Structure formats: C-alpha cells, structure tokens
Amino acid sequence: EVQLLESGGGLVQPGGSLRLSCAASGFTSSTYAMTWVRQAPGKGLEWVSAISGRGAATYYAESVRGRFTISRDDAQNTLHLQLNSLTAEDTAIYYCAKDRADGSYYMDLWGKGTTVTVSS
Amino acid sequence: DIQMTQSPSSVSASVGDRVTITCRASQGISSYLAWYQRKPGEVPKLLIYGGSSLQGGVPSRFSGSGSGTDFTLTISSLQPEDFATYYCQQANSFPLTFGPGTKVDIK
C-alpha cells in the first residue's frame, strides 16, 4: 500500500526542538519532491517546506526559514523536518505530502499528520 | 508572496446541484493551480492539477478551468460524498500558498 506515516510530534517548551519524520512505503520516495504542510488550530493549510527529488534543492516558508531544516534519507525512504527555536505559533498538525511528479509541487499523497504543541 | 483567495467561503447546495467555486491569485500563475477536497477527519485529496487536469480516480463531475489569476472548480452534479471543504493551491512559485477554503454543505 502506498502511504506516508509521520512521527516525532509532541509537546515541547518554547525554544525547544523536535525532529519530525515521514516514512514512505509502497513507492520510492527519492524520485519525488516532498513537502511539509501544517495546519494550526482553527487555521487553514500552510505550506512549510519542500525538498526536490534527490534533495538537490530545499525551500522554506519565511516564517520557518533559519529555524526548520528539511532533509531526506532516500536509503530509508524517509523525509525529516528538524524544528528548532519553536514558538507557540508553530503549534499545528504537520503533514508530509508527496509530489505528483518531481517538480510539480502538486501533492497527491498525504500522511495523516503528527501534532506539535509548543507550550510551557 | 502570491496570495490566494476563494469565493464563496461557503455554499449550501443540494444533491444534483451544479456548484462553482472561484479561486483568484494575487498575480499571474499561468496554470500552476491545484484543487483539493478535504472531508472532516481526513487529509486533503488532490482533485485537479495544472488548472484543469483531472487527477486519476477522481470522478468526471469535477472539472477545473482558468489560467493567469482566475480559476474555477465546478462540480457538475453534486453527490452526497462531495460535501467537503475545497482548497486551491498555487504551484507557480515558492512559497507555495493555499486558498482559505470553500465549505460545501447540505442545503
């Protein structure tokens, strides 16, 4: 079955760090661009970061640039998002999504999400 | 950044109705637009990409049109399973941006 499974979310204090992971199965993720999207409570969908197939290029929303780092381990078919210097505004469900075709950045497969709560 | 707006924010419709949702980009995005459907408790589902191309497995009652700044999603004959929230997303340039969503509910 083709699927994405996120993990690594949790409760963290302001200023803290988390590392999110997204395990792909049923397909070879290395050939696809991958994206992180988040949804804060009561808010809409917000694109966070993307990485091209083979990891040649990375992209970030201004709100997370310099604090978040996207990476991929193609040998493990896994996508990561390192979250540093977290603030309450980062509280959200984080979804990873697969690109429909590398470089299109249309997301045709989504994981169920992992919840990040930033609170003291 | 390219801002995406949608109208209406919600629409009440009956089974069998034709429903049209509009998405507008703050600057031209050629045809780099996707439409997603999201039902409560579920993740978004890609319906349309490239402005008008139907994603595999999506019923033909869904169609997309437009280019530049103005786009439309049309459901030709609303079915019970179509009651959901619909989002547009531009893929023309980073940062990728989503519209705020249009909720389609039962009249």
Side-chain angles (χ1 to χ4, degrees):
Chain A
E1 182 186 3
V2 176
Q3 65 177 1
L4 297 169
L5 183 62
E6 302 94 337
S7 61
L11 174 64
V12 60
Q13 293 188 339
S17 298
L18 280 175
R19 189 190 196 209
L20 308 184
S21 297
C22 170
S25 57
F27 70 101
T28 303
S29 63
S30 63
T31 59
Y32 297 94
M34 299 291 291
T35 295
W36 288 96
V37 174
R38 68 184 180 184
Q39 186 167 29
K43 299 291 184 65
L45 298 170
E46 179 189 14
W47 172 78
V48 173
S49 182
I51 186 167
S52 64
R54 312 293 179 190
T58 58
Y59 308 92
Y60 298 94
E62 190 60 39
S63 58
V64 307
R65 185 174 292 119
R67 300 188 299 121
F68 291 9
T69 303
I70 191 171
S71 62
R72 62 193 306 160
D73 181 346
D74 290 336
Q76 298 293 321
N77 230 19
T78 301
L79 177 73
H80 300 288
L81 187 68
Q82 178 69 39
L83 288 60
N84 296 333
S85 303
L86 286 162
T87 73
E89 286 66 44
D90 298 315
T91 294
I93 301 173
Y94 285 72
Y95 301 94
C96 67
K98 166 190 163 291
D99 194 39
R100 186 186 176 278
D102 187 29
S104 76
Y105 297 100
Y106 303 123
M107 300 158 227
D108 71 344
L109 178 67
W110 296 63
K112 295 189 183 301
T114 187
T115 300
V116 172
T117 303
V118 184
S119 175
S120 56
Chain B
D1 297 3
I2 299 173
Q3 309 302 319
M4 308 300 293
T5 57
Q6 289 182 233
S7 61
S9 57
S10 66
V11 57
S12 295
S14 301
V15 172
D17 284 353
R18 181 182 183 90
V19 174
T20 299
I21 299 168
T22 297
C23 176
R24 176 165 290 176
S26 61
Q27 62 191 78
I29 59 170
S30 185
S31 296
Y32 296 108
L33 185 100
W35 289 97
Y36 299 86
Q37 175 193 65
R38 190 174 194 188
K39 299 178 182 179
E42 298 184 8
V43 297
K45 174 185 175 182
L46 178 64
L47 299 176
I48 301 285
Y49 64 94
S52 61
S53 297
L54 196 67
Q55 173 70 352
V58 174
S60 59
R61 63 181 179 273
F62 291 93
S63 64
S65 64
S67 66
T69 60
D70 295 318
F71 299 84
T72 300
L73 174 71
T74 299
I75 309 172
S76 61
S77 178
L78 197 67
Q79 298 301 301
E81 61 268 31
D82 300 337
F83 292 98
T85 299
Y86 293 84
Y87 297 89
C88 60
Q89 174 235 325
Q90 67 82 16
N92 180 76
S93 62
F94 291 99
L96 307 180
T97 44
F98 290 88
T102 295
K103 185 176 182 180
V104 178
D105 59 21
I106 301 172
K107 194 173 197 176

